[in-house]
Amino acid sequence: LSLRNGGDVMKPVISVILTAWMRPQYLEEQVERVLNQTVPPHEIILWYNAPPKKMGWIERKQLVSFKNEQRVKKIICDYNFGIIPRFTLASCLEGEYVCIFDDDTMPGERWFENCLQYVDAEKTLCGTIGLRYLSRTELKTEKPRMGWEGMNEQIAFVDLVGHSWFFRREWARFFWDEEPVLRSFGEDIHFCAMLQRHGIRAACPPHPAGDRSLWGSVKPERGVDRVAISCSEDRSADYWKVVKAEMDRGYKPVLL
């Protein structure tokens, strides 16, 4: 599916999925950054997981009433369904491409443009942070990570991507080739492992130090605050459990 603009140029149709839970203060900025992409989105869907009751009324209101909220389709839940449903939702959308964002991820204005250069040409899932494993027997990864941390000048193929996932919509169905090892953690590892079975790689498009407009997240420090799932408790055991299980099922790291 592609749409024509005022002339004869065909523009790719991109559906965006945002998720909200405990960072309502960033939602308005995130929506604005998505709308300001050089390749604008066709639709934005907000999956709103009900936050804990300890959050006040004003913070809850930020999740349903904000600047440009009329341009966002909202799925408002009174229960926290976690991180998995957004990958299932992707198959239901209108776009030729889908981009899923974590709620701490603030894309530069050329992020979609950047991903579109590689997603089909390289048959790759694009993300804004990427890991490469260095061992099959312990949790050991290459440092720095690719993406906004390593600031790779060229596309970098990795084992998994996170914080943002840009892919062809039809690829979403592969997420359920097998059940995820965990429902609460490791969805990024699982998706990349399932895509690999179909010859689809994972990569961080260029994140050059001198041009943040191409970055998938221009404010990466927000991903390590107190409410980050990966930082809220020691998840190393869960992380290795998922990685090892996917390797046992045939997942092949690029360096091993």
Side-chain angles (χ1 to χ4, degrees):
L1 175 66
S2 296
L3 296 179
R4 292 186 183 275
N5 63 8
D8 294 324
V9 178
M10 300 292 285
K11 288 196 172 183
V13 180
I14 302 171
S15 295
V16 173
I17 299 174
L18 306 180
T19 50
W21 183 46
M22 290 184 68
R23 292 188 178 105
Q25 69 273 26
Y26 299 149
L27 181 58
E28 186 170 279
E29 178 187 354
Q30 189 180 48
V31 169
E32 186 171 8
R33 286 184 174 278
V34 169
L35 289 172
N36 287 337
Q37 291 291 303
T38 54
V39 182
H42 169 66
E43 61 181 346
I44 302 175
I45 294 85
L46 169 65
W47 183 286
Y48 166 31
N49 275 317
K53 291 182 179 179
K54 64 182 179 181
M55 291 186 69
W57 177 82
I58 292 176
E59 289 177 303
R60 283 172 174 264
K61 189 170 184 283
Q62 285 180 281
L63 292 169
V64 293
S65 180
F66 49 86
K67 182 181 177 182
N68 291 315
E69 59 95 9
Q70 76 281 359
R71 301 180 67 178
V72 178
K73 303 171 184 177
K74 306 182 188 75
I75 300 173
I76 301 174
C77 304
D78 60 3
Y79 178 78
N80 180 6
F81 284 94
I83 56 181
I84 296 295
R86 53 190 177 165
F87 289 91
T88 302
L89 175 64
S91 293
C92 305
L93 304 185
E94 298 174 358
E96 179 181 6
Y97 303 94
V98 174
C99 190
I100 299 175
F101 288 102
D102 282 345
D103 61 2
D104 54 18
T105 304
M106 303 291 150
E109 62 268 26
R110 296 173 63 199
W111 174 237
F112 292 169
E113 178 186 335
N114 195 8
C115 293
L116 285 165
Q117 289 190 55
Y118 301 99
V119 61
D120 290 325
E122 300 289 350
K123 198 176 180 183
T124 187
L125 164 69
C126 296
T128 187
I129 198 72
L131 297 180
R132 289 195 282 230
Y133 296 109
L134 299 175
S135 174
R136 286 184 173 275
T137 58
E138 61 179 328
L139 188 55
K140 188 176 182 181
T141 59
E142 184 181 51
K143 301 294 183 182
R145 298 174 293 178
M146 293 295 101
W148 52 256
E149 188 173 277
M151 293 183 285
N152 46 294
E153 295 288 331
Q154 306 295 327
I155 185 172
F157 293 99
V158 295
D159 294 322
L160 70 92
V161 294
H163 295 199
S164 175
W165 299 263
F166 189 102
F167 54 95
R168 294 195 65 88
R169 176 175 52 84
E170 64 261 29
W171 297 350
R173 69 181 186 272
F174 299 138
F175 188 94
W176 293 105
D177 276 0
E178 288 199 40
E179 283 282 326
V181 178
L182 298 175
R183 290 297 185 102
S184 60
F185 189 73
E187 81 290 1
D188 47 3
I189 307 168
H190 179 74
F191 193 33
C192 292
M194 296 300 101
L195 290 179
Q196 188 184 81
R197 297 184 180 191
H198 297 272
I200 302 165
R201 298 186 285 182
C204 288
H207 281 67
D211 189 358
R212 287 198 171 202
S213 71
L214 293 170
W215 288 21
S217 187
V218 298
K219 297 183 178 179
E221 67 278 358
R222 292 183 177 177
V224 292
D225 62 16
R226 62 181 178 81
V227 300
I229 292 177
S230 59
C231 299
S232 57
E233 56 182 293
D234 182 7
R235 303 304 296 264
S236 57
D238 286 343
Y239 188 85
W240 180 242
K241 178 181 179 180
V242 174
V243 174
K244 186 177 185 307
E246 296 294 359
M247 286 184 183
D248 290 344
R249 297 199 293 202
Y251 180 44
K252 298 178 181 178
V254 296
L255 298 180
L256 300 177

